[in-house]
Amino acid sequence: MYNIVLFGPPGAGKGTQSEKLIEKYGLTHLSTGDLFRKHLGEGTELGVLAKKYMNEGRLVPDEVVIGMVEDKINETKNSTHGYIFDGFPRTTAQAEALDKMLAIHNLAISGMVALDVPQDVLKARIKERGKTSNRVDDQDEDKINTRIKVYLDETLPVADYYKKQNKLSKINGVGEIDQIFHSITSVINSYS
Ligand code: ADP
């Protein structure tokens, strides 16, 4: 059973690589961004709450995100071969909460795979995605800049959290999708 944190800034390619990893390893994809967008689309109470944060490129409050992830783990834990966490944890508090909720089920994070992509490439990718993604947060330069700033200020420390546990592997996130995928699978195959 693998429980993988796929990490990287907005536009790093986490969603693209997650799809391929799910297919290869039969894992459950737990993308907090996707879950929030689903709630938004369905107009649930959670969706209404998350909307203002998402559309501005700010983080949804920790307790809201953590509660949503807890529900998803409880729903799926008996039928899964493991998880790919995508877009979560995004703060150190979320990382600590994740360790605790996994421990309850006798589970732990196998490792974090961090995709490394320079800022100019990120911005270009997000703008390109904005043409078709229908995401308000992909279409505006200020919002893109806010997301990158939030990543640097609040999310980057999460990599240190896993580094301290000897669970961090960095991968070059620029290049052919299949080449990057291959690098990620090499890391995952090294997990015991
Ligand atoms: P990105 O392409 O920026 O990585 P995501 O699809 O992962 O986007 O997330 C979109 C938005 O959803 C974020 O900008 C944020 O508002 C909210 N969000 C997603 N995951 C989290 C999280 N773990 N903590 C707080 N907010 C989150």
Side-chain angles (χ1 to χ4, degrees):
M1 177 139 174
Y2 297 125
N3 297 305
I4 298 154
V5 177
L6 190 58
F7 186 78
K14 301 186 293 290
T16 306
Q17 296 296 337
S18 290
E19 275 178 30
K20 295 172 74 70
L21 291 168
I22 291 153
E23 200 185 320
K24 182 171 169 76
Y25 296 101
L27 303 171
T28 299
H29 189 204
L30 208 159
S31 159
T32 44
D34 285 354
L35 288 173
F36 281 131
R37 279 185 288 278
K38 188 160 181 280
H39 278 282
L40 225 94
E42 290 169 358
T44 67
E45 207 174 311
L46 187 62
V48 172
L49 191 154
K51 185 174 179 176
K52 61 177 189 295
Y53 296 99
M54 294 178 73
N55 284 353
E56 289 171 18
R58 292 190 295 135
L59 294 184
V60 178
D62 282 337
E63 62 275 16
V64 177
V65 188
I66 291 165
M68 184 176 72
V69 171
E70 222 161 13
D71 287 347
K72 184 80 184 172
I73 290 179
N74 286 332
E75 253 171 53
T76 51
K77 63 173 193 299
N78 293 326
S79 58
T80 187
H81 298 294
Y83 294 94
I84 296 192
F85 295 98
D86 164 2
F88 178 90
R90 241 173 168 100
T91 63
T92 306
Q94 291 179 16
E96 286 165 355
L98 179 60
D99 274 348
K100 283 196 191 126
M101 55 180 116
L102 289 175
I104 291 172
H105 305 297
N106 271 324
L107 300 172
I109 290 298
S110 316
M112 166 187 270
V113 180
L115 295 169
D116 212 8
V117 180
Q119 272 199 36
D120 53 334
V121 178
L122 295 175
K123 286 188 191 176
R125 283 187 189 173
I126 297 172
K127 276 194 203 154
E128 190 57 34
R129 183 172 74 185
K131 291 179 188 166
T132 54
S133 70
N134 262 331
R135 283 177 54 172
V136 180
D137 60 344
D138 278 350
Q139 291 167 12
D140 178 294
E141 183 96 32
D142 282 348
K143 287 173 186 167
I144 296 172
N145 286 334
T146 303
R147 281 155 67 200
I148 293 176
K149 185 172 171 2
V150 167
Y151 169 79
L152 295 173
D153 292 348
E154 298 183 53
T155 304
L156 209 47
V158 178
D160 280 333
Y161 179 86
Y162 289 101
K163 190 171 179 204
K164 282 188 193 130
Q165 300 184 13
N166 282 322
K167 289 182 178 175
L168 172 65
S169 304
K170 288 187 187 173
I171 297 281
N172 178 9
V174 183
E176 291 290 325
I177 289 174
D178 284 341
Q179 177 56 47
I180 298 165
F181 180 64
H182 180 75
S183 309
I184 299 174
T185 57
S186 302
V187 172
I188 293 175
N189 294 337
S190 74
Y191 295 152
S192 46

